[in-house]
Amino acid sequence: MLVFSVFTLVAVIFAIYLTFHRWSIIEPEKPFVGLDNYRDMVGDERFRESVLNTAYFSGVSVPASMAIGLVLALLLNLPFRMRAVFRTAFYLPVVTPFVVSAILWKWLYNGDYGLFNYYLTKGHIIDQPLLWLSDKNLAMPAVILMSVWSGVGFSMVVYLAGLQAIPQDLYESARMDGAGPLRRLWHITIPMLRPTTVFLLVLGIISSLQVFTQIFVMTNGGPVNKTTTMVYYMYLWAFKYYDMGYASTLAFALFVILLFFTAFQLRLARRADLS
C-alpha cells in the first residue's frame, strides 16, 4: 500500500498539480497559470491532429489484428502435422522486443535498399521505389502494417484458447442437423467467441491509444506530423520543449479518452456475458 501510494497516487496528484503551472524543467520560475494549459490544449491544432492520427491508427490496426488473428486461429485449430511449429512461428513477433521489430521494419521500408521496394520493383508492380516512411500518405499505413504483424500472434493465441473452450457437442449436433462449415462458423463459433472478441477489443484499443515505440523509432512523428500520435505529442512537450505542465495536461486528456473507451467496452462485455 505504501509503495502504491508513493509511486502511483503521489505521482498522479503531482501530475494534476503540474497541469495548473507553466512547469519548465530548465527554468527556475514555475508560475501558476490556472486553466491556461487546458485552454491551450483545446485550441491546439497539433493536438487535434494527434488525436485524429491516433484514432486512425486504432481504427485500422485493432480490427485488422483481430480479424487476421481469428483466421489464423481457425486454421491452426485444425488437425495437421507441425501445427505447433506454425503456432510458434506466428507468435514469435509478440515476444520480439518492439524496438528490434521497429528497426527491422524500418530497414524493410528503406527507400534505397529496403526489401519491399526491391521485390515490388523486380515484380514490376512499381516503377520507382516508394518512400514508405517519408510519404505523408504511406507513413501511417506502413506503421500500422508493422504493428499488425507484431500483434497478430497475441490475438491468434487468445482466439485459439477461446476456440478450444467451445463444447464439441454443439458442433456434433449442428452436423447431425446438416449444418455445413460456414453455418457452424457463423452460428456457433462466432457467437461463442464473443467474450474473447470483447476482451481483445478492450486490450487492443487501450494499447493502440498509447502507441509510441514504433512512431519514435520509425518516423519521429513525421512526415508533416502525419504519424504524430497523442503519446508521441506528449513526449515532445515533455522532453523536447521541456514543458511538463502542458505535457501533463495532454496526459490527462488521454486518460479521459481511455476512461471513456474502457467504460464503453466494459458495458459491451457485460452485455456479452448476459447473452
Side-chain angles (χ1 to χ4, degrees):
M1 191 64 184
L2 180 63
V3 173
F4 172 79
S5 300
V6 171
F7 290 100
T8 303
L9 194 58
V10 173
V12 170
I13 293 172
F14 186 63
I16 296 173
Y17 175 76
L18 288 181
T19 65
F20 299 107
H21 293 77
R22 191 73 65 196
W23 195 285
S24 172
I25 58 176
I26 58 175
E27 294 177 5
E29 297 295 326
K30 322 286 186 191
F32 176 79
V33 295
L35 296 175
D36 281 0
N37 282 328
Y38 291 94
R39 275 193 288 267
D40 291 345
M41 183 182 68
V42 172
D44 188 343
E45 189 176 341
R46 286 189 66 188
F47 170 69
R48 290 197 294 271
E49 190 176 7
S50 73
V51 174
L52 292 177
N53 289 337
T54 307
Y56 176 20
F57 178 86
S58 301
V60 178
S61 65
V62 175
S65 296
M66 292 173 61
I68 298 172
L70 176 59
V71 172
L72 288 176
L74 290 169
L75 293 174
L76 295 177
N77 200 39
L78 298 173
F80 62 90
R81 294 182 63 184
M82 299 181 69
R83 185 172 61 173
V85 175
F86 284 101
R87 288 178 178 177
T88 305
F90 282 112
Y91 192 71
L92 274 179
V94 179
V95 296
T96 304
F98 222 75
V99 173
V100 175
S101 298
I103 292 173
L104 173 66
W105 276 77
K106 190 176 180 180
W107 172 71
L108 294 174
Y109 283 135
N110 190 283
D112 296 325
Y113 50 82
L115 282 185
F116 286 150
N117 278 333
Y118 175 78
Y119 285 113
L120 289 174
T121 307
K122 284 288 182 184
H124 303 289
I125 297 173
I126 58 175
D127 297 326
Q128 299 291 329
L130 298 175
L131 301 176
W132 296 94
L133 300 177
S134 303
D135 186 310
K136 65 179 183 180
N137 297 317
L138 292 177
M140 183 58 90
V143 172
I144 289 173
L145 180 61
M146 175 267 163
S147 304
V148 170
W149 170 85
S150 181
V152 76
F154 177 74
S155 299
M156 178 199 73
V157 167
V158 176
Y159 270 128
L160 270 174
L163 286 171
Q164 291 167 11
I166 298 175
Q168 293 303 307
D169 297 348
L170 296 176
Y171 291 112
E172 292 299 330
S173 301
R175 284 194 192 94
M176 291 174 67
D177 290 339
L182 286 179
R183 289 188 64 187
R184 293 199 297 272
L185 173 68
W186 186 252
H187 292 289
I188 297 176
T189 306
I190 300 296
M192 294 297 287
L193 286 177
R194 192 179 302 164
T196 307
T197 301
V198 172
F199 170 74
L200 284 173
L201 187 64
V202 171
L203 287 189
I205 289 183
I206 290 175
S207 174
S208 64
L209 288 177
Q210 301 176 72
V211 57
F212 174 77
T213 305
Q214 54 269 60
I215 301 293
F216 179 77
V217 174
M218 297 172 71
T219 65
N220 282 319
V224 289
N225 301 321
K226 287 296 181 182
T227 60
T228 298
T229 57
M230 292 180 69
V231 175
Y232 187 78
Y233 191 50
M234 195 188 313
Y235 160 82
L236 289 179
W237 276 98
F239 300 107
K240 186 173 181 180
Y241 310 136
Y242 304 120
D243 189 340
M244 293 297 171
Y246 193 61
S248 298
T249 308
L250 298 174
F252 275 97
L254 177 61
F255 169 74
V256 170
I257 293 173
L258 282 171
L259 189 65
F260 170 77
F261 275 106
T262 303
F264 176 70
Q265 290 160 356
L266 285 176
R267 188 169 180 176
L268 281 181
R270 215 169 286 130
R271 283 187 181 179
D273 290 340
L274 290 175
S275 61

